[in-house]
Amino acid sequence: MIKRYPPSALLRTIAGGLLAFAGCGQGPPVQVVEVTAVAASNDSVKPLEFSAADWPQWRGATIDGATNATGLATQWDASTNIAWKADVPGRGHSSPIVIGDTIYLASAVTGPDRQVVLAYDRATGQKRWETTVHEGGFPSDRQVHQKGSNANGTLASDGERVFATFLNDGKIVATALDTAGKQAWQQELGAFRPKFGYAPSPVLYRSLVIVPADNAGGAFIAALDRESGEIVWRRKRANIDTYSSALLATIAGRDQLVITGGDKLASYDPATGEELWTCQAISEATCGTPITNGTEIFASGGFPARQTVCVAGDGTGETLWSNNTKVYEPSMLLAGGNLFAVTDEGIGWCWDAATGAVKWKQRIGGAFSASPILSGNLVYVPNLSGETVVFEASSEGYHEVARNPLGDDCYASPAVSGSDLFLRVGVGSGDQRKEQLVCIRPAT
């Protein structure tokens, strides 16, 4: 059932919950020191510039899962349209990113425990380097969700450095490596009490890399100078366990960092960390990343409550429409004035983005953790059985194009570069499970 609200502002000034696979809340909260912006714009840092073939961070350059690339394969299996497969050590849900001719991803290796960053040749899949960022320091198994890992967050890269954020030794630590795998800087951001581990991915803005760290023991969000690792600003957040990654986009004419969780949808000025507005929405715990059409913001998820919501992005925080659908782990997509989603339980949805009216609902089948991507008029989304479902981004009904098996599971989201589609998949199960990075490329 759709709820529509009159144009009354729901503006709030309490910080909402943000992007972490967060803390346990045992004992008193950790003191978080708030740092006012000291160098929000560092003119000496090279501006962010990406080519059309780059996929430089979580959900791509625009953090919306969409690509202008065309010619992706729509059908494949273990031997058809597979350009190469590369072994990935350890386990991680970090999705691949692509800069130029290199693919980067993070992983966590056990026995001995290491958190690592890896680089692969885009054309061949050959591993170029592997850098150990941390040795030991993993949280206990009971502090990591059974579906999680010790390398959940996707990396980000500005073309000169690769940025990784890990939970290690009870702290969130950001690390920058150069493109040869050598450490450029490392910065401890603050204590973190894990309940289900740590999940958020860093996002890039001008001279900054922005890192969220929500948890019940002392939540914060911090921005670091990309070149030096200096903390430029840090803001306290509500001490609540919540798990989403952030959206960073120009919305209603201004740059905004938008995050969900803690029963709030909240917007910050990414240059300073100043809170712009909040509204009450969704639930205490969320996982997906919001999405925007440049005017409105769309978000979903929820535990214990469940909601999909459309909110004005003009600073009023006005809720335009809402329903009680829960899209918890996967993020959503916008295409052609419609909002598309695949729920954790395998239900596909299409809503009219302007009104929230249901265009179609379809049981796709399978269980999903990965977020879908959009290429042209096609949606690609892997499920937890290793199948990638391809369907049309059409409001006229659910039209499945293909269902492509590869591996035995897939938790990470796809990345795209040119006509190449990259998937991180699991092969086998239990103690025999291994991971592979796979390049899917249409045969010429």
Side-chain angles (χ1 to χ4, degrees):
M1 176 178 175
I2 300 170
K3 303 174 188 175
R4 290 188 176 86
Y5 296 84
S8 59
L10 296 174
L11 188 63
R12 299 290 183 97
T13 56
I14 302 173
L18 168 74
L19 301 120
F21 227 41
C24 64
Q26 298 175 351
V30 174
Q31 179 67 30
V32 176
V33 178
E34 194 160 313
V35 178
T36 303
V38 294
S41 180
N42 185 344
D43 293 335
S44 69
V45 177
K46 181 181 177 181
L48 292 170
E49 296 178 347
F50 301 113
S51 76
D54 290 336
W55 191 271
Q57 60 189 346
W58 165 242
R59 304 211 81 199
T62 50
I63 320 180
D64 59 3
T67 175
N68 293 324
T70 58
L72 297 183
T74 57
Q75 294 184 312
W76 61 85
D77 56 29
S79 58
T80 304
N81 286 332
I82 302 298
W84 50 259
K85 298 179 182 179
D87 292 336
V88 177
R91 181 186 179 99
H93 299 167
S94 167
S95 301
I97 64 169
V98 187
I99 295 287
D101 62 358
T102 307
I103 305 165
Y104 303 97
L105 73 165
S107 196
V109 181
T110 56
D113 294 347
R114 297 183 297 124
Q115 287 165 318
V116 301
V117 174
L118 303 121
Y120 295 86
D121 184 278
R122 176 192 154 181
T124 66
Q126 181 179 2
K127 186 168 73 172
R128 290 181 169 173
W129 51 259
E130 175 181 334
T131 296
T132 297
V133 176
H134 300 290
E135 295 182 346
F138 286 10
S140 68
D141 289 345
R142 65 181 177 80
Q143 294 174 312
V144 178
H145 195 276
Q146 62 182 356
K147 289 175 66 177
S149 75
N150 286 299
N152 288 320
T154 295
L155 305 168
S157 176
D158 60 5
E160 296 183 346
R161 289 162 290 266
V162 179
F163 305 100
T165 50
F166 290 108
L167 167 61
N168 189 271
D169 197 25
K171 299 178 289 292
I172 302 303
V173 183
T175 303
L177 306 177
D178 66 20
T179 55
K182 182 179 179 181
Q183 182 174 304
W185 53 256
Q186 188 168 86
Q187 180 72 259
E188 291 185 4
L189 298 180
F192 189 96
R193 294 178 181 167
K195 180 179 181 181
F196 293 129
Y198 178 68
S201 304
V203 295
L204 302 176
Y205 178 74
R206 296 183 182 175
S207 63
L208 305 177
V209 54
I210 300 176
V211 180
D214 276 8
N215 68 104
F220 61 89
I221 182 168
L224 296 83
D225 183 271
R226 291 191 281 118
E227 191 170 73
S228 68
E230 175 189 5
I231 295 177
V232 174
W233 58 257
R234 180 169 52 202
R235 301 295 182 186
K236 293 184 290 185
R237 302 268 299 144
N239 293 335
I240 295 173
D241 297 328
T242 185
Y243 318 112
S244 287
S245 288
L247 168 69
L248 205 162
T250 301
I251 307 169
R254 70 182 303 173
D255 295 344
Q256 299 189 46
L257 180 75
V258 182
I259 54 182
T260 61
D263 297 305
K264 303 287 182 182
L265 184 67
S267 173
Y268 294 85
D269 182 334
T272 66
E274 176 190 1
E275 184 182 280
L276 300 177
W277 55 266
T278 66
C279 73
Q280 190 166 3
I282 307 179
S283 190
E284 178 179 301
T286 64
C287 290
T289 301
I291 193 167
T292 184
N293 59 9
T295 305
E296 291 85 34
I297 299 161
F298 306 86
S300 186
F303 179 84
R306 46 197 301 144
Q307 186 182 37
T308 298
V309 66
C310 171
V311 173
D314 59 2
T316 64
E318 177 191 345
T319 302
L320 303 177
W321 59 260
S322 171
N323 61 48
N324 62 358
T325 303
K326 171 185 175 180
V327 189
Y328 192 46
E329 290 185 63
S331 302
M332 301 186 292
L333 291 171
L334 283 166
N338 299 296
L339 180 66
F340 294 90
V342 178
T343 70
D344 306 50
E345 297 81 14
I347 305 297
W349 288 90
C350 175
W351 295 282
D352 183 286
T355 67
V358 177
K359 296 294 188 71
W360 56 259
K361 175 185 177 184
Q362 175 73 35
R363 178 171 290 281
I364 297 174
F368 292 80
S369 286
S371 293
I373 63 163
L374 177 72
S375 175
N377 70 331
L378 296 179
V379 175
Y380 292 70
V381 58
N383 66 24
L384 291 178
S385 298
E387 292 181 319
T388 297
V389 181
V390 184
F391 64 89
E392 294 180 6
S394 169
S395 62
E396 301 302 317
Y398 177 77
H399 303 291
E400 188 169 297
V401 174
R403 188 175 291 256
N404 304 305
L406 189 66
D408 297 296
D409 65 57
C410 186
Y411 291 85
S413 300
V416 173
S417 179
S419 59
D420 291 347
L421 178 72
F422 300 100
L423 289 177
R424 179 182 193 159
V425 301
V427 179
S429 61
D431 292 340
Q432 301 304 310
R433 181 185 182 275
K434 297 182 179 180
E435 293 193 344
Q436 292 180 333
L437 179 64
V438 183
C439 175
I440 300 161
R441 182 181 298 158
T444 57

